Amino acid sequence: MKKRLLLAITSIALATGASGIVHAGKSDDTLNVAIDRELESIDNYYNTAREGIVISRMVWDALLYRDPATNEYLPNLATSYNWVDSKTLEFDLRKGVTFHNGEKFDADDVVYTLTYISNPENGAKPARNVNWWDSAEKLGDYKVRLNLTKEFPAALEFLSGPIVMYPNEYYAEVGPEGMAMKPVGTGPYAVTSVEPGKRYKFKKNDNYHASSPKGQASIGNIVIRTIAESNTQLAELFSGGVDWIWKVKPDQAQRISAQGQFTVKNASTMRIGYLNFDAMGRHSENPMNDVRVRRAIAHAIDRESIVNALVGGESIVVHSLCFPSQFGCTQDVPKYDYNPEKAKQLLAEAGYPNGFETPFLAYRNRDFAEAMINNLNAVGIKTNFEYLKYAAFRDKVQDGGSPFNFGTWGSYSINDVSAITSHFQSGGKDDYSKDAEVIKQLGIGDSSVDPQVREDAYKAALSRISDEVFMFPLWSYNTWYAFSKDVDFTPTSDEIPRFFTAKWN
Amino acid sequence: MIYYTLKRLGLALLVALTVSFISFGLLYLSSDPAIAMAGETASDADIEAIRKLYGFDRPILVQYLDWLQRALSGDLGKSYYFRTDVSALIGERLPTTMTLGVCAITFAIVLSVPLGVAAAIRPNSLIDRLALFLSVMGQALPSFWFALMLIVFLSVNLRLLPTSGSDTWLHFVMPTVVLGYYAAPAIMRLTRTGMLEVLSTDYIRTARAKGLRPWVVLFKHALRNAIIPVVSLAAVQFGFMLGGSIVVETIFALHGAGFLAWESITRNDLPTVQGLILVFSLFYIVLTFFADLLNAWLDPRIRIN
Amino acid sequence: MATSDSQTSAPNKGFDLLRRRVRGHQGMIIGSVIVVSVLLIALLAPLLAPHDPYQQDLLKRLVPPVWDSRGSWEHVLGTDHLGRDYLSRLIYGARISLLIGIGAALISGIIGTIMGVMAGYFGGRVDMIVTFMITVRLSMPVVLVALAVVAIVGGSLQVVIAVLGLLLWDRFAVVMRSSTLQIRSMDYVAAARAVGCSTSRVLMTEVMPNVVNNLIVITTIEIAHAIILEAALSFLGLGVQPPMPSWGLMVSEGKDMMLFEPWLITIPGVALFLLVLAINLMGDGVRDITAPENRN
């Protein structure tokens, strides 16, 4: 009798608690997604995480939309645009679009959004996305004019992605704190629940405007959870608690693929890895000041092997400080082959026949760093390796505290050289060479609107960077995706998964 | 009794203040608060402006006293990362950690005390050796390994429990076991020691001689005295758990105060870390305080001392 | 001395005593054998390791151990994610783990003993201050201290040993303090003082020799503790820096492959476990032999 009672109690308990274990997925039209970090805010202008960009595309729209396949700029919230002159853009806006809270979309929203975020006091991040225009004017209920501060060729790139439109009445009332708790946009998915940093729930927007280049969403509900531990993400995938994960480590992805129970896909990203050297002596007098030493290191690293064995996937070796698809990026620059003998020669010429010791800083991909350290050891260079968290790494580098470091940059998926090369080599905080010629050429490229002028200037800058090895580009990064066989999903090479294109199988 | 209480309280508060100040100092030494607050894309001018505006250029002691003054009136500042009130942030995350901690210490006690008693009654027997072996295992087994193994067996293979998250009570079962077994060895050993000592005393022999039943002797007389140091230890262990729950909270995606603490430290989110340390210290004080009171009730001799 | 609650007639008691001593000895023997073996392995590492533990081979990554169908005798325990021989890393790792354990225990032992003995012997204000410092140390979050130190000074083997040394002195202090308190009230100490011995002489010749037994026991516990703590710090990235082969680091490096190639964690994990178990057994044994009445 007691035993039966115990059994009954256990079953009831399991049943009531079981709502936590019943796995969603195709059966209740809910895609469960796991990400690995906490978002500081879901408000598009107050977070800098990749996941924030992903969510932004789901919940909000921009005036234009860059087609990930053709890189064309298609009309979204704007039906057409016109360059009145090199510093003035005019837009005709789409009629009949409503925000998730019923507010109508019109010129007031555009003007309010653009004015609010370009005001430095409001602290929208990152600053470089929002600091290139002076003012926005309303020319009519559905017509807007944007006055740029200077000639800014990447304007369309920004207006087709990160610059999304907010509802003016709502945002004026609740501000970033309100938007972070209850986001409102025009996008294909509406946010139904926000547990900051923990979990976000989304529902398909049935009123999404039919002429959007993003298309209509198929999956009805999406839940995005933060699970920091990679093994836990895998366990959730295996037990059905989660249907879709990304940034799977290559060794893990291979084995999951081999098991055959889940779909595993790989796509390139715009992120590239690089080595940064103290060419100008900003940190101190050290071997990196000498171009021969830098060239030696360029010859010492076996990038091909590291890419094949460790980075894997769709990654390739890159020769210029940019990702090949970015506008202005060319691989037609001085190249360095893997040649440890030549490296030793150059080191001897520079006065280090027996090598030397140097600090070496990194914040991610410890194993890639270790493989490079191995390469360096082979030519006599010993490293004092320090592996820091990103915040500490960034601070130390930008403070001038690191003569030699390994970093990566994703360009915020902006398909333009100005988003990476100019960031690192225009005399800013990460610039350890501050070369006058490079700075000049990048300046020309960044400010001209003539594509040919831009390409030539960028090529000149990239060639000089390569020749002097101010920074040494390593490889492109890739991302592994693993998801349930019920899901039909195709990754894009800009590292922005578009859930509104995903379907059930 | 009042004097005793006040003295303990005063001492505890002093400890909390010292810990808080040392942590403050360590945090300021290990990262520049102006940069942390300005964010990654700020220019040098922005950072300098923030430094002046928030007084980060003042001596550390002055800054600490300033923070303390505001903290005492309930204002723990705003998180550099989330830009929301630290007190709200902590208030949101703390209940999960508390729940986990209480369950874990209960589990540890329920597991270790009977085991310790059993081992003490039959020293050098199989159960004694087993208890000792389990206690070493508890110290030498990496908790993340144990946690992931449990997930694999109970969640992925047998589908008995959910893998991660904090929605239902079932979500807390595995985390409780993992966090609890970590505190169990010390409690078990101490119970065993205490029982061994007590069982050999005169008054226990007298109680047996009087013909009291073994269970009565064991629990009403022996355990009541042996448990005294265990109560203090349990309180201390609970305090450790609050800090030691980082691994468990990370692996089981519990998003409690422990996870927040670790993430905040690595993000250089100083106000949040400071707030958390203060909260943890206060809890620790309250815990040991109540443990002392409980002990004083169990053993009147302590009160008089 | 513990008594069984039933049969404690005289002949059985003697037999019990003998049995107990033998059983205690057994544990100590096993423990000592293991510890000495690990020591020898550490000392003879260059002779025993089949490969260079730092040598990478990117074409032979994650090769399983020899008992797996994909394994081979070339790498008996397989290779890690950079193609380094696991057996060699395990052997050299013994050095690092022992160095850390002994180094940290030495530093914390010196600090803790000085503080504990002072507190126990002088009492009064000194005792209050030391007790206060112990409580503060117990309330400090270990992770924060480790992270701050690493951020300020950078990570390395010496830093890890120093950090552990600065964090583990509390148990030394507590035990030394209570032992000293006990000793202080003994007649021979009073006698020495009466005769006019200086404080330091009394400490050296009367107090220390009598607390040494407890000191040894605590030292063994803290060596084990330091070794385990290093593993936990490695998990958080605050321990020994790669490519140095500490067992703790090997466990944390293998974590991502846990669900697919569990031997990456199991092998160093078992090594850690055996070493810690052995040290504990040794410590128990030493205590049994020197002062059986303190058995806990």
Side-chain angles (χ1 to χ4, degrees), chain A residues 74-134:
Chain A
L74 301 171
N76 193 353
L77 287 181
T79 50
S80 65
Y81 63 91
N82 177 34
W83 282 101
V84 173
D85 61 53
S86 62
K87 293 209 294 202
T88 316
L89 255 184
E90 276 182 11
F91 291 95
D92 284 312
L93 303 177
R94 194 179 298 276
K95 304 189 177 72
V97 177
T98 33
F99 285 95
H100 299 142
N101 65 352
E103 212 181 296
K104 263 176 42 176
F105 167 72
D106 57 28
D108 289 328
D109 302 301
V110 177
V111 171
Y112 183 83
T113 308
L114 293 175
T115 313
Y116 183 89
I117 62 181
S118 63
N119 183 349
E121 276 175 32
N122 289 324
K125 15 188 209 178
R128 98 174 58 79
N129 282 10
V130 302
N131 61 7
W132 47 273
W133 65 86
D134 267 334

Side-chain angles (χ1 to χ4, degrees), chain A residues 38 199 225-226 232 236 429, chain B residues 42 81 93 164 167 251 255:
Chain A
E38 293 184 302
R199 179 168 46 195
R225 288 177 54 200
T226 299
T232 309
E236 284 278 22
K429 287 194 289 192
Chain B
Y81 188 65
R93 308 281 177 115
S164 67
D167 294 325
I251 293 185
H255 293 272

Side-chain angles (χ1 to χ4, degrees), chain C residues 8-293:
Chain C
T8 46
S9 47
N12 273 356
K13 202 166 178 184
F15 193 40
D16 265 332
L17 200 66
L18 188 62
R19 244 189 6 198
R20 229 173 287 127
R21 289 282 170 113
V22 168
R23 284 247 179 87
H25 253 243
Q26 240 183 20
M28 166 128 173
I29 289 175
I30 296 177
S32 312
V33 163
I34 295 180
V35 172
V36 168
S37 312
V38 174
L39 257 166
L40 281 174
I41 291 176
L43 287 169
L44 298 174
L47 296 173
L48 292 168
H51 297 266
D52 175 358
Y54 294 93
Q55 183 178 47
Q56 299 178 3
D57 184 351
L58 294 185
L59 297 172
K60 286 225 183 86
R61 302 168 56 242
L62 296 173
V63 174
V66 68
W67 54 79
D68 185 285
S69 55
R70 297 163 290 157
S72 78
W73 282 103
E74 191 195 339
H75 295 285
V76 177
L77 290 182
T79 62
D80 69 359
H81 62 292
L82 285 172
R84 299 178 292 212
D85 181 52
Y86 228 47
L87 178 60
S88 308
R89 285 182 77 74
L90 197 68
I91 291 175
Y92 273 86
R95 289 190 162 182
I96 308 291
S97 293
L98 283 176
L99 252 171
I100 290 176
I102 296 175
L106 216 69
I107 295 178
S108 52
I110 293 175
I111 298 176
T113 304
I114 293 177
M115 291 180 68
V117 167
M118 294 287 161
Y121 189 73
F122 293 111
R125 196 144 283 183
V126 176
D127 190 9
M128 252 173 50
I129 295 178
V130 169
T131 311
F132 179 72
M133 285 174 71
I134 293 175
T135 321
V136 167
R137 149 66 200 96
L138 284 177
S139 317
M140 276 299 299
V142 170
V143 164
L144 178 61
V145 173
L147 198 119
V149 171
V150 170
I152 299 171
V153 183
S156 72
L157 184 59
Q158 297 93 312
V159 168
V160 171
I161 294 180
V163 168
L164 289 175
L166 287 172
L167 287 172
L168 292 175
W169 55 262
D170 52 284
R171 194 125 29 133
F172 281 102
V174 166
V175 171
M176 286 295 103
R177 178 179 167 276
S178 54
S179 306
T180 309
L181 276 172
Q182 277 181 331
I183 303 292
R184 186 178 69 165
S185 52
M186 293 286 168
D187 289 337
Y188 52 87
V189 171
R193 285 225 289 262
V195 167
C197 292
S198 69
T199 312
S200 48
R201 213 186 129 89
V202 173
L203 282 173
M204 283 294 114
T205 56
E206 308 297 338
V207 175
M208 285 307 294
N210 287 293
V211 300
V212 147
N213 293 333
N214 280 342
L215 186 58
I216 293 180
V217 174
I218 291 294
T219 305
T220 58
I221 293 179
E222 293 303 309
I223 291 179
H225 198 185
I227 293 177
I228 288 296
L229 216 56
E230 192 273 320
L233 287 177
S234 289
F235 174 77
L236 298 171
L238 299 172
V240 161
Q241 294 298 305
M244 205 172 271
S246 98
W247 291 347
L249 188 61
M250 286 166 76
V251 170
S252 106
E253 282 176 338
K255 182 177 71 78
D256 283 336
M257 279 287 109
M258 218 183 99
L259 298 177
F260 306 103
E261 317 279 359
W263 48 269
L264 283 169
I265 295 200
T266 318
I267 292 177
V270 166
L272 272 169
F273 174 70
L274 283 176
L275 183 59
V276 168
L277 179 64
I279 295 177
N280 272 299
L281 286 173
M282 248 181 67
D284 279 359
V286 167
R287 184 188 40 226
D288 279 359
I289 290 179
T290 58
E293 64 271 10

Side-chain angles (χ1 to χ4, degrees), chain A residues 13 17 21 37-40 126 196-199 225-227 231-232 235-236 238-239 389 394-395 412 429, chain B residues 35 40-42 44 81-82 93 148 151 156 159-160 163-167 169-170 251 255 266-268:
Chain A
I21 338 177
R37 49 178 284 191
E38 293 184 302
L39 278 184
E40 60 260 62
K198 263 178 71 165
R199 179 168 46 195
R225 288 177 54 200
T226 299
I227 301 180
N231 283 308
T232 309
E236 284 278 22
F238 295 160
S239 69
K389 292 278 168 184
R394 179 196 65 221
D395 291 350
Y412 295 102
K429 287 194 289 192
Chain B
I35 295 183
E40 30 183 88
T41 52
D44 283 337
Y81 188 65
F82 292 100
R93 308 281 177 115
L148 286 166
I151 289 181
V156 179
R159 307 269 170 131
L160 281 177
T163 306
S164 67
S166 52
D167 294 325
W169 68 267
L170 283 173
I251 293 185
H255 293 272
T266 55
R267 293 193 282 246
N268 292 343

Side-chain angles (χ1 to χ4, degrees), chain B residues 60-186:
Chain B
I60 289 189
L61 186 58
V62 172
Q63 293 190 50
Y64 175 70
L65 290 172
D66 193 32
W67 173 84
L68 187 63
Q69 184 200 19
R70 268 177 282 129
L72 288 176
S73 61
D75 174 17
L76 289 172
K78 278 199 189 313
S79 156
Y80 290 165
Y81 188 65
F82 292 100
R83 312 260 168 195
T84 52
D85 281 337
V86 171
S87 33
L89 196 58
I90 295 181
E92 201 185 287
R93 308 281 177 115
L94 201 57
T96 310
T97 306
M98 285 294 118
T99 313
L100 180 63
V102 167
C103 292
I105 199 72
T106 310
F107 170 76
I109 291 176
V110 163
L111 182 69
S112 330
V113 168
L115 205 57
V117 169
I121 295 178
R122 303 209 181 290
N124 281 322
S125 65
L126 191 62
I127 215 173
D128 189 15
R129 294 279 136 196
L130 184 69
L132 247 37
F133 182 75
L134 279 176
S135 89
V136 176
M137 270 244 305
Q139 287 170 300
L141 212 57
S143 55
F144 77 82
W145 185 86
F146 188 35
L148 286 166
M149 281 294 107
L150 280 182
I151 289 181
V152 168
F153 283 128
L154 296 177
S155 184
V156 179
N157 287 350
L158 295 176
R159 307 269 170 131
L160 281 177
L161 292 169
T163 306
S164 67
S166 52
D167 294 325
T168 67
W169 68 267
L170 283 173
H171 285 88
F172 281 88
V173 171
M174 288 191 287
T176 299
V177 169
V178 176
L179 195 58
Y181 99 98
Y182 169 75

